[in-house]
Amino acid sequence: MENTVTEASSDKTTPYLVLVEFAYKHLDFHLAELSSILEIHGIRLGSEQCQVVPLPLPKNYDEVKKRRNQQPDHQPCRSYVILSFPPKEASSWAGETAETNVQGGCHQFDPRIAVRPSDKLNASPYVNSIAEILYKSVLVKSVIELWGYSSESLEDCADRAHQWITTPVSHSFQQSTLRPILSDPLQSWKFTVHTLGTKFTREEQDRMRLTFHKTLDLIVGPVKMKQPSQEYVLIREIELDGKASPYSLSEDKEGRTKSEPAKEFHSNNEIRTQKHKCCTAPLAFYFGRFLGGPRQDSRGLESYTLKNRPYLGPTSMDAELSFVMTNLGLVKTRDIVYDPFVGTGSILLSCALRGAYCVGSDIDIRVLRGKGGDQQIWKNFEHYNLPRPEILRTDNALYNKHFRHHADAPPSAGSEKFSTPLYDAIITDPPYGIRAGARKTGSKREHVRPVLQENRHDHIAQTVVYPVSDVMSDLLNVAAKTLTLGGRLVYVIPSFRDFNPTVDLPRHECLELVHSCYQPFNGELGRSIVAMKKIAAYDEGKRQRYSEKIWIHGAASAEKCANLREKIIEAAKQKPGYEEKAAIRKEKRKANKQSKREKRSKNLQE
């Protein structure tokens, strides 16, 4: 692919490029979280302000696919995105005019999102640099100011980088900002070679650095390996498989070539072992200036992991995906966020860490009350010095009866009323019967005795099974009714691989599907994280009509995400050795129960 950006030119419209590197996991979430975190800061991906530049591919990539026996339409899984910005705003995006020092301010993950309006007229909407903005993304690993890139060769990448930095355009970003940095004797620097999925000797890396000698000769400051003022990065990208390993080519018994993950890495460039011929030919080379983010995997996220929290439950959402969900929901400071299936509050905790005011509810009073002491939902918020959320024991199926809107909007034509919006985001993980079954208020009895007035304060109503189709119907109706216009609903929906999000996801006339990101599990089961945006006011008079259109294809779609536990067990029974494994698990359960009984008996005797 031709790189028209890095060629020397007198064209003042040459865009400013930024390379975003993601962690190599949750690949389906990358672009969704990126666009959401930009939207929080008033930047719409795909607009003139910010566009995505296609990643380069080698000219012989079709031949590579044939050698691997891959489909003609196969596209490599890549953890990079190139963003293009108008050149007149380059200094602002680079952070040279920001209040904080980008190099020293973006190394530790800070979950709080406080959008700062700009005081300048005709300037970019916010004063945050692009590194500060994108560093709020959980999956972003680093942000690099891209000077040159190429899918042809390392030498071509070096030439393009040198041409871009020495462009003769007057008053350009290169002349006004970068050249003074390069010629400043107080600006220390280092050169990092990032070889994704491969290893090279020090001599080989030195040869790579020497390829950029024309650009590096422009730098006047001293080399400093620890905490330099500037860091320049060369990235050599190769294609990785789903497990973040390089593709390898080996021969089967009949001498045919097939693809399989490589197992060992040595210093050779193309062949790593005698048994495994690795496809380590580069997809592309990138060179630029490091703007923000650590070069290591750790960003300080470990302090928010589940293992560091006082109170957990079987359905607690892991911290990483909880933060991703808050980004998809555009959660920021002073937003009001609601979780109707709050459980142990793991999702609300991430929202509170973002700076939001949190409201949660659940029908299971046992989960909300906890086990006493440190084993209660409040302890997680106190652990991070956060204010307590508003937690209610209530039923989302009866939301209209439990919550009252005091200030309804003026009535529309006729007798209908439009509901007053309340929440900026609804983010939740509904129960689907895999780890916890869904329940709603009700009784199996035909005639139910009324609750006496003196018992209403502490009465806990009976519950019945809550079908998945009704769970989703009520959730979408509540979101359409209570979200502010433009507010987002983000929820988790587990399914098998035959689930088609374009057809099988529930829909609502007041909500628009924005993102659907799939996370595969072992086997055929996975889950999608879905984000929807409110686009129209909710009309109370159309409640029945809304409910009838939730499932576009009716029961067939609803059935695909229902009874998943039974489907998983049925699929497991079809695998060889199931009976033997089931017998072993049964014996282990008996042994555990016996051990608990003996321990309990011993404690009573003491």
Side-chain angles (χ1 to χ4, degrees), residues 476 479-480 483 489 508-513 532-535:
L476 265 64
L483 281 173
L489 164 67
H508 198 285
E509 289 185 21
C510 300
L511 303 172
E512 176 186 60
L513 179 64
M532 305 183 79
K533 179 175 70 173
K534 184 173 179 178
I535 58 173

Side-chain angles (χ1 to χ4, degrees), residues 60 63 111 126 145 244 251 274-275 289 295 323 354 363-364 366 400 422 444 469 495 497 519 537 549 583 605:
N60 66 338
E63 299 176 8
Y126 301 99
E145 179 182 88
E251 293 184 352
Q274 295 295 326
K275 295 182 179 180
R289 184 170 64 123
R295 298 304 305 166
F323 280 128
R354 292 294 193 194
I363 197 172
D364 193 341
R366 297 168 301 174
N400 293 324
L422 180 61
K444 296 179 181 178
S469 57
S495 62
R497 292 183 185 271
Q519 179 190 14
K549 294 186 176 182
Q605 291 176 2

Side-chain angles (χ1 to χ4, degrees), residues 345-523:
S346 56
I347 292 178
L348 276 192
L349 181 65
S350 296
C351 296
L353 287 165
R354 292 294 193 194
Y357 180 80
C358 298
V359 181
S361 66
D362 204 296
I363 197 172
D364 193 341
I365 190 65
R366 297 168 301 174
V367 177
L368 298 181
R369 286 177 175 172
K371 300 177 182 179
D374 288 341
Q375 295 294 303
Q376 54 179 304
I377 190 172
W378 317 113
K379 289 299 179 180
N380 288 336
F381 290 82
E382 294 172 4
H383 180 72
Y384 293 102
N385 297 317
L386 296 171
R388 285 188 172 190
E390 298 291 338
I391 301 295
L392 303 94
R393 195 268 177 181
T394 185
D395 186 354
N396 196 59
L398 300 175
Y399 183 92
N400 293 324
K401 295 183 178 181
H402 292 174
F403 290 84
R404 183 181 301 167
H405 294 260
H406 295 281
D408 283 342
S412 63
S415 60
E416 298 87 3
K417 283 190 175 182
F418 292 95
S419 298
T420 304
L422 180 61
Y423 308 117
D424 297 291
I426 295 177
I427 304 179
T428 188
D429 181 9
Y432 290 95
I434 298 179
R435 291 178 294 177
R439 309 287 294 183
K440 66 177 180 179
T441 303
S443 174
K444 296 179 181 178
R445 298 178 181 177
E446 185 177 350
H447 302 287
V448 181
R449 290 181 298 178
V451 180
L452 298 177
Q453 185 64 34
E454 59 267 24
N455 297 332
R456 293 182 65 87
H457 176 70
D458 57 355
H459 173 73
I460 298 178
Q462 298 180 47
T463 62
V464 294
V465 174
Y466 196 5
V468 172
S469 57
D470 293 346
V471 171
M472 295 311 305
S473 179
D474 293 336
L475 176 61
L476 265 64
N477 266 318
V478 169
K481 177 183 175 71
T482 61
L483 281 173
T484 58
L485 202 62
R488 289 197 176 185
L489 164 67
V490 182
Y491 65 90
V492 180
I493 182 168
S495 62
F496 287 89
R497 292 183 185 271
D498 63 344
F499 190 88
N500 185 351
T502 59
V503 206
D504 296 327
L505 279 177
R507 301 301 177 95
H508 198 285
E509 289 185 21
C510 300
L511 303 172
E512 176 186 60
L513 179 64
V514 182
H515 301 294
S516 178
C517 308
Y518 185 72
Q519 179 190 14
F521 294 153
N522 292 331

Side-chain angles (χ1 to χ4, degrees), residues 61-62 65-66 68-75:
Y61 187 67
D62 289 338
K65 288 191 290 187
K66 290 180 181 179
R68 298 180 188 161
N69 293 331
Q70 293 170 332
Q71 297 296 326
D73 59 347
H74 167 79
Q75 293 297 321

Side-chain angles (χ1 to χ4, degrees), residues 235-402:
I235 296 176
R236 183 184 184 275
E237 181 193 14
I238 67 168
E239 185 174 358
L240 301 179
D241 62 14
K243 297 181 179 179
S245 298
Y247 278 97
S248 67
L249 302 175
S250 64
E251 293 184 352
D252 60 18
K253 294 181 180 179
E254 299 180 5
R256 293 174 300 188
T257 301
K258 63 179 182 179
S259 296
E260 62 180 30
K263 296 182 179 178
E264 296 184 35
F265 303 118
H266 297 291
S267 59
N268 297 333
N269 189 22
E270 296 301 331
I271 299 178
R272 303 304 178 187
T273 68
Q274 295 295 326
K275 295 182 179 180
H276 297 271
K277 298 181 179 180
C278 299
C279 246
T280 59
L283 288 176
F285 296 94
Y286 309 94
F287 177 79
R289 184 170 64 123
F290 181 69
L291 293 181
R295 298 304 305 166
Q296 300 81 21
D297 290 335
S298 175
R299 298 175 49 185
L301 279 168
E302 61 275 1
S303 60
Y304 305 106
T305 58
L306 295 182
K307 66 181 181 180
N308 290 323
R309 299 181 185 179
Y311 181 45
L312 293 179
T315 60
S316 296
M317 175 69 70
D318 67 89
E320 190 171 63
L321 280 181
S322 292
F323 280 128
V324 171
M325 292 177 71
T326 64
N327 285 336
L328 296 182
L330 309 184
V331 177
K332 55 188 180 297
T333 55
R334 295 184 295 276
D335 279 354
I336 302 177
V337 183
Y338 176 53
D339 183 353
F341 306 99
V342 67
T344 58
S346 56
I347 292 178
L348 276 192
L349 181 65
S350 296
C351 296
L353 287 165
R354 292 294 193 194
Y357 180 80
C358 298
V359 181
S361 66
D362 204 296
I363 197 172
D364 193 341
I365 190 65
R366 297 168 301 174
V367 177
L368 298 181
R369 286 177 175 172
K371 300 177 182 179
D374 288 341
Q375 295 294 303
Q376 54 179 304
I377 190 172
W378 317 113
K379 289 299 179 180
N380 288 336
F381 290 82
E382 294 172 4
H383 180 72
Y384 293 102
N385 297 317
L386 296 171
R388 285 188 172 190
E390 298 291 338
I391 301 295
L392 303 94
R393 195 268 177 181
T394 185
D395 186 354
N396 196 59
L398 300 175
Y399 183 92
N400 293 324
K401 295 183 178 181
H402 292 174

